[in-house]
Each structure stands twice: as C-alpha cells, then as structure tokens.
Amino acid sequence: MNLEKLFGSKTKVDILKYLIFRRQWVSMRALETELWWTFPAIKKQVDSLDEAWIIFIDKENTGRSIHLKWGIQHILKDLFFEALKQSLTELFDNTWDKIANYFWWDKFWKEIGMDLIIIHNNMDKDTIEKLKNDISECFRTYWIESASIAFMSADERETRYRLADRFVLQVMRHYNTVR
C-alpha cells in the first residue's frame, strides 16, 4: 500500500505516522524537529489535515498542540498497520526461498507475547541478522521502536510440534495450520 499516493504527501504521511505511533499533543515545532521537514511544509499539511477533520489543533495560550480526532485515530491506526504488514510481506516475498512461513501477533491484534513469528529454512546467522535489521527498519519507519520477533527454523518447529511445545501448538491452533 502506497500511503504517500493515498494521502497525497510524504510529509502528511510522516505526520500521521508520528501522531499514531509516537505521541500526540505535539506542536508543529516539535514535528519539525522530529521529522526533519521544514516548518512551512509541516504547517501546510497540518492545515490540510485540520480542514479534513482528521486532527484537532488545541490553540491554548502557550502554543498549539496537535492530536488525532478520537474516532479517526483507530481507523488510521488499522490502515497504517495494514500498510506496515504489506511492507513486511513484500520484504518476506523478496526472501521467499528462505522463509517458510510467518505469523502476525500482538501488534497485529493477536495476543501471544510476540509481534511476529518467522519460520525459516535453515538460514545462517548473517542472513538472519540482516533480515532482523530489515524488519526493524520497517518498524522504525512507523515510529515503532521495539517489536518482539521470534525466528525458528522449520526443523526446530517440527521438533517442537512433535514434543507438543505449548508455544508452537498455540500458534498452530490460532492459525489452524498443521504442517
């Protein structure tokens, strides 16, 4: 999903990502510092989001603070998480020969104690480290600093399944997959 095309501006998308995943009640100057966009670019997009009734600008005496409107916040969060999932899926598709399967969890509305579980085809440590860095970078572009990711080889998964490992069985039960 190309959010820049959907929203018409990379600056606007960066502002929304920041408000969704980092913090709200933030000033335009703080956005300028954090996002590295110029103040006029941020002001233009904030005004546009205000006109679209996506954000609320609290105009108090000491400054202005921006936050997402309550009803919109959950809708946008779902949309942006879907875009994140698509970015990660694209990354996994580029390494299709190395990844046997993957499962979405906590950050993707499924409670198990992990955000992402990756079953791989016996990757070496360097390849796993590169994939971990690529995945972390995907999360960081959405202002998500930490994500719990479990890597497990297909052989380890099979062994744990035969031993009735609780974690593996819980994943399989939730996704209704038996391989």
Side-chain angles (χ1 to χ4, degrees):
M1 176 182 312
N2 189 336
L3 293 172
E4 288 84 20
K5 292 288 184 187
L6 178 64
F7 288 101
S9 163
K10 179 147 179 43
T11 308
K12 190 181 296 182
V13 170
D14 286 348
I15 291 168
L16 289 171
K17 283 180 185 177
Y18 188 87
L19 293 173
I20 292 168
F21 297 109
R22 181 67 172 213
R23 70 183 174 114
Q24 295 197 43
W25 301 98
V26 63
S27 70
M28 283 190 258
R29 290 290 180 197
L31 286 173
E32 177 186 23
T33 303
E34 293 273 351
L35 300 178
W36 297 95
W37 290 103
T38 64
F39 186 81
I42 290 173
K43 175 147 180 30
K44 178 182 177 186
Q45 297 308 323
V46 165
D47 289 344
S48 173
L49 289 167
D50 187 33
E51 289 172 17
W53 296 1
I54 302 293
I55 62 171
F56 176 76
I57 303 173
D58 187 11
K59 299 168 184 161
E60 57 188 50
N61 294 339
T62 59
R64 297 173 179 228
S65 59
I66 303 162
H67 66 93
L68 291 167
K69 291 203 175 188
W70 178 251
I72 299 294
Q73 181 177 355
H74 300 294
I75 295 166
L76 287 176
K77 191 170 190 173
D78 289 349
L79 179 68
F80 277 70
F81 263 123
E82 187 58 37
L84 173 58
K85 278 175 69 173
Q86 286 185 5
S87 296
L88 290 168
T89 300
E90 184 178 325
L91 174 67
F92 300 153
D93 288 347
N94 292 335
T95 57
W96 62 268
D97 59 327
K98 297 176 179 114
I99 296 178
N101 212 341
Y102 51 89
F103 304 98
W104 310 107
W105 288 100
D106 284 356
K107 288 212 181 344
F108 303 99
W109 311 284
K110 296 174 178 132
E111 299 293 327
I112 195 169
M114 289 283 147
D115 297 319
L116 183 59
I117 301 164
I118 298 173
I119 311 297
H120 61 86
N121 294 322
N122 298 321
M123 286 193 275
D124 59 42
K125 285 187 178 192
D126 292 337
T127 307
I128 289 174
E129 283 304 313
K130 181 180 178 345
L131 186 58
K132 282 181 183 179
N133 289 336
D134 292 345
I135 292 168
S136 293
E137 190 56 38
C138 276
F139 276 102
R140 271 193 290 279
T141 61
Y142 285 82
W143 293 92
I144 300 171
E145 293 298 323
S146 64
S148 302
I149 304 166
F151 280 82
M152 187 182 311
S153 72
D155 294 337
E156 179 186 355
R157 185 211 154 279
E158 287 300 320
T159 301
R160 290 175 72 170
Y161 174 69
R162 282 194 308 274
L163 295 172
D165 179 77
R166 188 169 141 195
F167 178 71
V168 171
L169 292 177
Q170 185 177 12
V171 171
M172 293 175 65
R173 206 175 7 253
H174 186 65
Y175 276 94
N176 296 320
T177 59
V178 180
R179 277 209 242 171

